[in-house]
Amino acid sequence: MTPLEAVAVFAAGIGAGGINAVVGSGSLITFPTLLALGFPPIVANVSNNVGMVPGGVTGVMGYRPELKGQRDRLIRLGTASVIGSVVGGVLLLCLPEKAFQVIVPVLIGLACVLVVAQPRLSRWLVRLRVHPHGGPWLWLSVLLAGVYGGYFGAAQGVVLIGLLGLFLDEDLQRINAAKNMLSLLVNSTAAVLFVLIAPVDWTAVLMVALGTAVGGFLGARLGRRLPPMVLRGFIVVVGVAAIVKLLA
């Protein structure tokens, strides 16, 4: 990697870290950047995943006030994220790269619909909220989101926000904070797996990690100030952009 290429990956990492802290889908910036620089798809994917972890840490730290009171919930849902991530990471290393190309845009589109319709759906489904942690259906949904996140991860934040908003009686900022923690668990678990058994380019990892660490901190500061309506709209715009990018 030349110095200019390293700067390009670092800059992409800043943008990705910021978007991940606010919504998710930051991998749609860094992953194509690594591909454009000539990295093989699997190497680019696993190196990008490992590099995303520091950005996830700074994003979570920036949302600490919104995480208060969610410890038990995140422990419960976090087990689903970790299990799902392991399954997704193994699938990435075992299945053809095109295995999820059809279903991924569908998942993101469904998540966008859930985010837009969440206030109305929440009123309709209030009777399902008999459990403060979302119950078994949310646990299973987070598990499946973890499988997707361990496999590829782009827009997993959009998917998680849609699911958490549907099953939890919380405001959007607290849901976003929970999303950041669950996404960090998914990325960290997959990163450990990839470091042990997958081809990782450590120069790419370093540049992505430095960029996402800065971007995650800045994104958290911005995201916490956005009104719910603006944040909801931003989530949908990013989700639609993710679908277009994946289908292009």
Side-chain angles (χ1 to χ4, degrees), residues 12 24 30 33 36 49-50 57 59 65 69 79 81 99 105 120 168 178 197 202 208 218 239:
T30 48
T33 299
N49 183 290
V50 177
V57 172
T79 61
S81 292
R120 179 168 295 180
L168 298 177
I197 62 175
W202 289 105
V208 172
L218 297 176

Side-chain angles (χ1 to χ4, degrees), residues 45-235:
N45 197 2
V46 299
S47 301
N48 177 68
N49 183 290
V50 177
M52 285 287 173
V53 174
V57 172
T58 55
V60 168
M61 292 176 62
Y63 270 89
R64 281 180 298 177
E66 286 76 18
L67 286 171
K68 291 181 179 179
Q70 299 199 66
R71 178 180 175 181
D72 292 344
R73 170 187 297 158
L74 291 173
I75 290 175
R76 177 186 176 90
L77 296 178
T79 61
S81 292
V82 170
I83 294 170
S85 180
V86 172
V87 175
V90 171
L91 289 176
L92 172 66
L93 300 176
C94 297
L95 295 179
E97 187 180 339
K98 295 182 179 180
F100 281 179
Q101 284 186 350
V102 174
I103 196 170
V104 165
V106 176
L107 287 175
I108 299 173
L110 178 60
C112 290
V113 172
L114 290 177
V115 171
V116 172
Q118 186 245 322
R120 179 168 295 180
L121 288 174
S122 295
R123 292 192 292 269
W124 289 347
L125 299 176
V126 66
R127 293 182 179 178
L128 295 180
R129 290 175 172 168
V130 297
H131 198 291
H133 306 320
W137 286 111
L138 178 57
W139 193 93
L140 180 59
S141 299
V142 171
L143 173 70
L144 295 177
V147 173
Y148 167 57
Y151 184 88
F152 182 44
Q156 70 166 316
V158 178
V159 175
L160 280 171
I161 288 177
L163 293 172
L164 295 172
L166 188 62
F167 287 96
L168 298 177
D169 187 16
E170 294 281 6
D171 66 64
L172 196 56
Q173 290 292 0
R174 283 176 60 80
I175 287 173
N176 198 33
K179 175 270 295 180
N180 284 346
M181 177 60 78
L182 295 177
S183 295
L184 174 59
L185 289 173
V186 170
N187 289 340
S188 299
T189 302
V192 171
L193 178 66
F194 294 153
V195 167
L196 292 176
I197 62 175
V200 177
D201 187 291
W202 289 105
T203 303
V205 168
L206 177 62
M207 291 299 101
V208 172
L210 292 174
T212 56
V214 175
F217 174 77
L218 297 176
R221 291 177 64 88
L222 172 63
R224 294 182 64 237
R225 291 177 169 82
L226 293 177
M229 186 65 69
V230 175
L231 180 57
R232 202 180 303 277
F234 188 61
I235 292 168

Side-chain angles (χ1 to χ4, degrees), residues 26-36 40-42 44-45 48 97 152:
S27 289
L28 293 177
I29 298 177
T30 48
F31 179 68
T33 299
L34 293 174
L35 290 180
I42 296 297
N45 197 2
N48 177 68
E97 187 180 339
F152 182 44

